Amino acid sequence: MARTRKLVAALNRRGPHRVLRGDLAFAGLPGVVYTPASGLNLPAIAFGHDWLTVSTHYAGLLEHLASWGIVAAAPDTQRGIVPSVLNLAFDLGVALDIVTGVRLGPGEISVHPGKLGVVGHGFGGSAAVFAAAGMPARLKCAAVLFPTVTVPPAEQPAATLEVPGLIMSAPDDPKTLNSNALTLSGAWDAATLRIISKSEPGGLVEGRRLPKALGLAGSDRKTQRAVRALLTGYLLHTLGGDKTYRDFADADVQLPRTEPLDPESLSVTPEEKIVALLK
């Protein structure tokens, strides 16, 4: 634990790379891309946003990944009241096509086609599952951050996935009807479920959030710091092959800022969720 605690503390800080920001629209897809200032054959992820959220609300997270040498592309599509999880999943694949198909920045940045992953938050987390199921041979990992229920349900494609996965959930998620982190974990054999201590599922969104008037949670720095460190370590190992961070992808290792899995929480049924909410 002492070793991983030091690694988490280091990953909580900005990485060694200067970061550049670009526009995916030059290739016909609304969105942004963050890259290290230079580097060839880099790992890359496509990031899916939550419901009624835009990529600018994840700038800190995307910049953080890029500062550690990971190219991060985030489509700004499916932002309406009734978005399509399947269309966002498709756009995640398009974003990966873009970053692997062209030299980025001043021509000194390239992505390795064998070091790709998808990541998403909330609604975008479920979209990441659909994206992973649609291109399993291309991806080395997928990470879903506080995923939420969608139509169609993401559990169906999750059951087909063999790609390694990371699922982040909040301590109270078993009591919420909107979360599907536990059911995704049950369907996805190759995924590791991490309960992030004192986290808020909606807290990953940065800055002021207009949909807060609709009852959505606001920004939470503790959640953001924990996710940045744990996600970065996971991606550095699974995409970058850095064995220094192998514990971040080991389901048998409890990491700092996470809680042990509660067997009772894992067995909560939808009916019990409703009862808990009504109390």
Side-chain angles (χ1 to χ4, degrees), residues 171-259:
D172 291 334
D173 266 1
K175 298 180 181 180
T176 61
L177 287 173
N178 198 39
S179 170
N180 63 344
L182 297 181
T183 52
L184 278 180
S185 176
W188 188 356
D189 291 338
T192 297
L193 176 63
R194 301 280 190 192
I195 306 298
I196 310 303
S197 302
K198 300 179 181 179
S199 63
E200 299 179 9
L204 189 59
V205 176
E206 303 158 9
R208 293 184 178 181
R209 191 184 193 189
L210 182 61
K212 190 174 182 180
L214 302 178
L216 300 182
S219 177
D220 180 68
R221 292 185 179 180
K222 289 183 179 179
T223 301
Q224 293 162 14
R225 287 195 295 266
V227 169
R228 288 176 190 176
L230 298 177
L231 177 63
T232 301
Y234 179 79
L235 294 176
L236 287 174
H237 175 66
T238 55
L239 295 184
D242 192 334
K243 294 182 180 180
T244 304
Y245 305 99
R246 61 183 178 275
D247 287 347
F248 288 74
D250 189 339
D252 295 326
V253 175
Q254 184 182 341
L255 299 176
R257 303 187 184 180
T258 67
E259 298 181 3

